[in-house]
Amino acid sequence: MSHYEPPLAGKLAGLTSSAIRDLLKLTADPNIVSLAGGLPDAELMPGARIAAAAESALRDSAALQYTESPGWGPLREVLAGRESDRLGRRVDIAEVFVTHGSQQALSLLAEVLLDPGALVVVEDPAYVGALQVFRAAGARIVAVPLDDEGLRVDLLADLIAGGERPAVVHTVSNFHNPGGVTMSPGRRQALAALAEEHGFWVIEDDPYGELWFDRPAPAPVASYAKSVIRLSSASKIIAPTLRVGWMVAPDRVCRAVELLKQGADLCGSALTQQIAADLLTDTAWLAGHIETVRGVYAVRAKALVEAARDNFGDTLRCSAASGGMFVWAEFTDGTDTAELLPRALDAGVAFVPGRAFAVRKPYANAMRMCFTTAAPEVLTEAMSRLAVAAGHRVPVQSAQL
């Protein structure tokens, strides 16, 4: 009797696993200093405060029940207030939609906004999670490069002038993942103006905006146009385990997303959304908590960049560590980071090669490093190990970590 194996969907043929998630499996060794993962520091997460909020929520059995597909109403009210302050305009609760992390919002938006073959413009280097979503949606992806002021909006304008018609432009406007840069105010206004003039959506992905070190991030792109959909999350400022993300979008977009979310998971967790609402409304506590996280991350970012300069000099150019979680670094001597990685792992340090974020340019000489989960002295040691692996220093006795 013949046996036929049922097929999988054809769209899976072009998808690959995240190189970053695969690399995390290799860095479980406690002897490896991992700069590869994009993880906030669990030691800074407010476990006791979360526990107290959970205990309070569980006094009401409603926390154990299904909740509304757009999110628990009181949480959406809290988020509408926070986003109103951020955008400088009133955000109605109908414009706020809570998702299972902001990554789910991105995935649902791809289904709502994109038909197969639609043009999506991304930044180059690009956020890997966005590339996975847009490729799964069957989009045609075109990359526009970054510089120190963020997305090259002038090149986007040239692309449009040449006849391209994007359906969506995706940007990580603040403390870019992986590029580390922040879009300038002028470019934010220019991007919003292009979206209004040519009728495309901008998805402004902003999980890092509150993690600034030197000065607050500029006003969001979404403050300049209603065709900008803003995404954010509690993962980086409180804890990823809550899986509370949100988007601010026109009501018609939220209603379309609601239809799809009902088919995906019906609704999010009433318990974690009530916990998030409790924490977000405790404004004095939250401000102090975020200030603590900023202070710790700022010291670590500075330590990483200074150690890179001390060990590599002008051979390694690093992005300005002014916020967020990442430093983007590029070798100027032709070092191929994909070839360097196995030697680096042998030396006890991990990073993500630039190729993982490439769309148009290969970024063979680049890498992303995350500074959030290691103490300054450990980051200094990591750069020393990397210099040995790259052949920039003679091996010496490694410090005990």
Side-chain angles (χ1 to χ4, degrees), residues 369-392:
M369 298 182 288
C370 179
F371 51 75
T372 55
T373 57
E377 62 272 17
V378 177
L379 294 167
T380 299
E381 169 64 13
M383 286 297 95
S384 177
R385 294 180 182 185
L386 186 63
V388 170
H392 284 259

Side-chain angles (χ1 to χ4, degrees), residues 42-393:
E43 296 299 319
L44 297 175
M45 295 175 196
R49 184 65 183 81
I50 291 172
E55 182 179 5
S56 177
L58 287 169
R59 295 191 186 113
D60 185 346
S61 60
L64 305 177
Q65 190 54 273
Y66 292 110
T67 190
E68 301 95 332
S69 296
W72 189 54
L75 174 59
R76 292 169 67 210
E77 290 178 0
V78 171
L79 294 172
R82 283 175 56 85
E83 292 295 328
S84 295
D85 293 341
R86 190 79 178 92
L87 297 179
R89 67 170 178 84
R90 183 178 182 276
V91 173
D92 190 86
I93 190 173
E95 299 175 81
V96 177
F97 198 101
V98 180
T99 55
H100 195 72
S102 59
Q103 185 68 21
Q104 186 189 48
L106 191 58
S107 179
L108 293 170
L109 284 170
E111 294 187 67
V112 165
L113 305 180
L114 300 173
D115 291 315
L119 173 61
V120 174
V121 174
V122 299
E123 294 157 326
D124 200 13
Y127 168 51
V128 170
L131 291 178
Q132 289 180 308
V133 163
F134 297 140
R135 285 168 178 159
R140 180 168 66 93
I141 299 173
V142 172
V144 171
L146 297 168
D147 64 13
D148 290 343
E149 292 187 55
L151 177 70
R152 287 285 305 275
V153 179
D154 59 325
L155 297 183
L156 172 62
D158 290 345
L159 196 70
I160 294 170
E164 292 282 21
R165 291 293 176 264
V168 166
V169 173
H170 177 267
T171 179
V172 182
S173 55
N174 295 319
F175 315 119
H176 189 271
N177 176 13
V181 298
T182 293
M183 190 186 298
S184 67
R187 290 196 185 172
R188 292 170 189 242
Q189 294 179 53
L191 176 57
L194 277 178
E196 294 282 278
E197 180 182 356
H198 296 283
F200 59 81
W201 293 101
V202 175
I203 298 177
E204 182 181 22
D205 215 339
D206 184 24
Y208 312 107
E210 295 188 69
L211 299 180
W212 49 269
F213 304 155
D214 305 319
R215 58 183 180 273
V221 183
S223 64
Y224 298 108
K226 283 290 191 84
S227 55
V228 181
I229 299 169
R230 178 173 148 77
L231 310 185
S232 195
S233 168
S235 293
K236 307 305 187 293
I237 60 171
I238 299 177
T241 192
L242 296 177
R243 302 314 299 137
V244 172
W246 58 88
M247 69 176 183
V248 177
D251 178 66
R252 67 189 180 99
V253 174
C254 291
R255 300 293 72 76
V257 167
E258 182 175 359
L259 292 175
L260 291 175
K261 184 169 171 61
Q262 288 172 351
D265 63 4
L266 294 180
C267 64
S269 164
L271 175 59
T272 59
Q273 290 185 25
Q274 289 185 47
I275 293 170
D278 186 327
L279 300 178
L280 292 173
T281 52
D282 190 351
T283 54
W285 168 83
L286 182 64
H289 168 68
I290 295 175
E291 185 175 358
T292 297
V293 174
R294 285 190 199 121
V296 172
Y297 285 178
V299 170
R300 293 175 180 179
K302 182 179 180 182
L304 179 62
V305 171
E306 288 183 350
R309 183 174 61 245
D310 291 344
N311 283 279
F312 293 95
D314 294 336
T315 306
L316 189 66
R317 290 196 307 258
C318 293
S319 61
S322 58
M325 296 171 54
F326 305 104
V327 167
W328 179 256
E330 296 190 60
F331 283 98
T332 61
D333 63 353
T335 297
D336 187 309
T337 55
E339 295 177 0
L340 173 61
L341 180 59
R343 302 198 303 273
L345 290 169
D346 288 342
V349 62
F351 57 84
V352 183
R355 295 180 195 272
F357 311 96
V359 184
R360 180 185 57 88
K361 184 179 175 182
Y363 295 106
N365 311 122
M367 60 184 173
R368 189 195 76 176
M369 298 182 288
C370 179
F371 51 75
T372 55
T373 57
E377 62 272 17
V378 177
L379 294 167
T380 299
E381 169 64 13
M383 286 297 95
S384 177
R385 294 180 182 185
L386 186 63
V388 170
H392 284 259
R393 292 181 56 194

